[in-house]
Amino acid sequence: MSKTFSVAGQMYDEAAVEAIVRRVVLECLEGKSSGKVSPKLVVSISARHVHLSDADVEHLFGPGYSLTVEKELYQKGFFAAKETLMVVGPRKRMLPSVRILGPTRKQTQVELAFTDGISLGIPLPVRESGDLAGTPGCVLVGPKGVVELKTGVIRAQRHVHLHPDEAAYYGVGDKEFMKLRIHSAGCTTTLEQVLARVDPAVRMEVHLDTDEGNACDIDHAEKIEIFK
């Protein structure tokens, strides 16, 4: 249940207050005499993980089972679960402990890095999350059961979550592409085709996979910028 706040005698819910604060901050930033200052940019490395449907949670962990929150993620309402699964590919090779992210979804989805796909023998297509038609499958092994996926294994398209105010700041629309430049000593790299995913419920955040983060030495980045 969302919280409500009283502002000047009028009640607002938590989402409305956050939207007002975000808009005011952006207006202040744009009004600075020294020029535009970018909104706060967060870049997260998204390690291999699994999103499960309710039915597959029960198949893998038992009837009536619910995922256990271990760590809240940057996006509100999302979390890393305590539970992990074994992911098995067609070569009978496996990744023994792949983290589950919650909440549950309508369709189970496995997100791996390029090198994970090579190891498992899975030719990973680059897809936006949820675009699973025609994708390869795998086998998921849990403590109480096994699920054989016919589809659902992808390499996630690198992307940036944007609130509409932030999208307007950068002049970018939903499903358009941006570029991310990572300045590291001796390793400055520009990543193209960063998909903009615009939604009023999100915080601005770039998601890269582990291969992409390692390739641009993001742990030692001195400056990161995003632009259209």
Side-chain angles (χ1 to χ4, degrees), residues 103-148:
T104 55
R105 295 187 174 187
K106 291 182 179 180
Q107 184 174 355
T108 293
Q109 175 177 302
V110 180
E111 297 183 33
L112 304 174
F114 182 68
T115 49
D116 295 328
I118 293 174
S119 176
L120 294 175
I122 301 176
L124 297 175
V126 177
R127 294 287 186 89
E128 181 182 358
S129 181
D131 180 12
L132 304 180
T135 57
C138 69
V139 174
L140 302 177
V141 181
K144 298 293 185 179
V146 175
V147 170
E148 183 177 357

Side-chain angles (χ1 to χ4, degrees), residues 1-159:
M1 183 176 181
S2 62
K3 298 177 181 178
T4 58
F5 302 87
S6 176
V7 180
Q10 187 169 350
M11 299 302 294
Y12 295 88
D13 64 22
E14 186 176 14
V17 171
E18 182 173 336
I20 292 169
V21 172
R22 188 192 303 270
R23 185 174 66 250
V24 171
V25 169
L26 286 174
E27 288 173 353
C28 291
L29 291 176
E30 291 173 351
K32 286 183 176 289
S33 59
S34 59
K36 285 188 176 181
V37 179
S38 298
K40 179 183 178 182
L41 176 60
V42 173
V43 179
S44 298
I45 302 302
S46 185
R48 63 177 79 108
H49 60 270
V50 179
H51 300 279
L52 291 176
S53 67
D54 288 328
D56 285 345
V57 169
E58 294 201 346
H59 284 143
L60 293 161
F61 294 95
Y65 193 90
S66 296
L67 297 174
T68 307
V69 178
E70 181 168 89
K71 179 183 178 182
E72 300 287 347
L73 300 181
Y74 187 66
Q75 298 298 329
K76 288 186 175 181
F78 293 83
F79 61 90
K82 180 179 180 181
E83 294 81 4
T84 62
L85 294 171
M86 180 186 296
V87 176
V88 183
R91 291 182 178 177
K92 305 305 178 184
R93 294 182 180 177
M94 63 180 183
L95 298 171
S97 299
V98 179
R99 184 71 53 190
I100 300 171
L101 299 188
T104 55
R105 295 187 174 187
K106 291 182 179 180
Q107 184 174 355
T108 293
Q109 175 177 302
V110 180
E111 297 183 33
L112 304 174
F114 182 68
T115 49
D116 295 328
I118 293 174
S119 176
L120 294 175
I122 301 176
L124 297 175
V126 177
R127 294 287 186 89
E128 181 182 358
S129 181
D131 180 12
L132 304 180
T135 57
C138 69
V139 174
L140 302 177
V141 181
K144 298 293 185 179
V146 175
V147 170
E148 183 177 357
L149 296 179
K150 300 300 183 183
T151 61
V153 185
I154 64 170
R155 177 183 174 193
Q157 170 75 52
R158 64 179 73 112
H159 57 276

